[in-house]
Amino acid sequence: MAKVPATAIAAGGLIGGYGVARWTKKRPLGGVALAAAGAVAARQWQQAAGTKAAVGLTTAYVAAFAGSHPLAKKVGAWPSVFGVAGAVAVASWAVTRNSAE
């Protein structure tokens, strides 16, 4: 079975976490989805690029989540979520692209 890249997991976690929170109207449930995806991505980042890279990318993941809130007030919720998910995906790809995943 093919492994899902950390890039997709991280972006999917941000999008899915928001989607779960919005559609269930239970923010903590969205947080669980966000955290679970972040943990899986962090483990893959660590395996692919080392601990420093994993810490940096995990920090970017959390910052993207936090930054999506004020950004949403300017551009809307979904555009904000897609924007930060894309930014995290690009950062993940840039850091891990030369690793053998």
Side-chain angles (χ1 to χ4, degrees):
M1 178 190 246
K3 184 164 108 175
V4 177
T7 299
I9 292 170
L14 288 161
I15 295 166
Y18 175 68
V20 167
R22 181 173 175 133
W23 290 315
T24 65
K25 299 189 183 349
K26 296 186 183 344
R27 292 181 74 173
L29 195 55
V32 169
L34 177 83
V40 172
R43 181 168 168 84
Q44 286 191 21
W45 288 326
Q46 195 276 328
Q47 291 171 344
T51 302
K52 283 184 181 181
V55 169
L57 288 167
T58 301
T59 300
Y61 183 78
V62 173
F65 165 70
S68 70
H69 292 82
L71 181 60
K73 291 178 183 183
K74 296 185 185 301
V75 300
W78 280 112
S80 173
V81 171
F82 286 127
V84 300
V88 168
V90 168
S92 175
W93 174 81
V95 170
T96 63
R97 72 180 179 267
N98 292 327
S99 65
E101 285 193 47

